[in-house]
Amino acid sequence: MIKPIELVIFDCDGVLVDSERLAVRLQVELGAELGWPLTADEVVERFIGRSKESIVEQLAERLGAQTAGLWWKLLIERHRDAVDLGLDPVEGLPEALAAITLPTCVASSGSHEKMRHTLGRTGLYGHFEGRIFSASEVSRGKPAPELFLHAARTMGFDPQVCAVVEDSGPGVRAARAAGMRAFGYSGGPTPAGRLEGPGTIVFDDMRKLPELLAAI
């Protein structure tokens, strides 16, 4: 018997704040500058939804540890500057949050510092304050399930009653590995086909999320 959803766990970048297209563009620019030319699709496949450790490991294998460190430093600086110039919530997200009456939290591959910045710039930080979890708190980031299990455990919910809203392949795989129901948002740079899988509902309009959650 399928249990009703009791907790909604949101990813941050690309689900709450419209920052993934920005991140993809910056990664493509850095690749051209630092010796690893990448298309936007390759950036999505390799980096989007993954932890800092996973990304830096890939960079170090390709370019060496020194260049990987420089790449990450420049990415953080340029991302912060771009966010300060203007960042919006994902389209339809404010309406969705207003309609969702279930408990919610955030579980992201990003650092707490980054989330304070992006959620703060978009006016969303206060909505989730005290219920924000980062991959820095667990031993393995997405696609491993640890982050979502940590969030559910801290919030006091069984994984079987949790729903995860994600926009990346590693994110939906982590949700499924955690035994949670996954909702894959395909309105960003990740194609719908990379989000599909068992126990996963793929949707492209954030305004539809409350209805989809209530239908289970």
Side-chain angles (χ1 to χ4, degrees):
M1 182 177 177
I2 299 177
K3 296 181 179 180
I5 292 170
E6 298 179 17
L7 174 69
V8 184
I9 304 174
F10 287 93
D11 177 40
C12 184
D13 292 299
V15 170
L16 298 178
V17 297
D18 193 15
S19 56
E20 289 294 47
R21 290 183 182 85
L22 167 63
V24 170
R25 175 175 62 79
L26 293 175
Q27 295 278 34
V28 169
E29 290 176 0
L30 285 166
E33 292 175 22
L34 298 178
W36 189 5
L38 291 163
T39 66
D41 191 59
E42 288 171 332
V43 168
V44 170
E45 178 66 21
R46 287 181 173 275
F47 299 151
I48 295 301
R50 297 186 183 272
S51 66
K52 169 189 174 181
E53 288 73 20
S54 172
I55 296 171
V56 171
E57 182 179 357
Q58 292 182 65
L59 294 172
E61 288 177 358
R62 178 78 179 220
L63 301 170
Q66 184 173 353
T67 302
L70 174 61
W71 181 310
W72 189 260
K73 176 178 179 291
L74 292 173
L75 176 64
I76 296 301
E77 291 174 354
R78 293 180 187 182
H79 189 277
R80 184 185 302 114
D81 290 344
V83 167
D84 283 340
L85 290 174
L87 181 67
D88 296 314
V90 165
E91 185 178 357
L93 187 278
E95 296 95 315
L97 290 179
I100 294 171
T101 58
L102 296 168
T104 60
C105 66
V106 179
S108 170
S109 296
S111 67
H112 280 287
E113 179 183 9
K114 179 183 177 183
M115 286 187 279
R116 278 193 296 271
H117 188 215
T118 57
L119 293 173
R121 292 293 295 181
T122 51
L124 294 171
Y125 189 80
H127 186 88
F128 294 102
E129 189 171 4
R131 309 187 314 282
I132 300 174
F133 305 94
S134 166
S136 63
E137 299 170 45
V138 297
S139 59
R140 294 189 300 165
K142 307 168 190 178
E146 277 88 336
L147 176 57
F148 292 140
L149 293 172
H150 168 60
R153 183 169 54 249
T154 305
M155 293 290 294
F157 292 89
D158 187 279
Q160 292 183 342
V161 300
C162 295
V164 173
V165 187
E166 265 285 356
D167 72 319
S168 73
V172 292
R173 292 197 296 274
R176 293 194 288 259
M180 301 176 182
R181 278 158 283 184
F183 290 77
Y185 175 64
S186 62
T190 300
R194 292 185 182 167
L195 302 172
E196 294 171 350
T200 303
I201 295 173
V202 179
F203 68 107
D204 62 2
D205 185 342
M206 198 59 73
R207 298 176 188 86
K208 298 178 182 177
L209 181 60
E211 181 181 349
L212 293 172
L213 292 168
I216 293 181

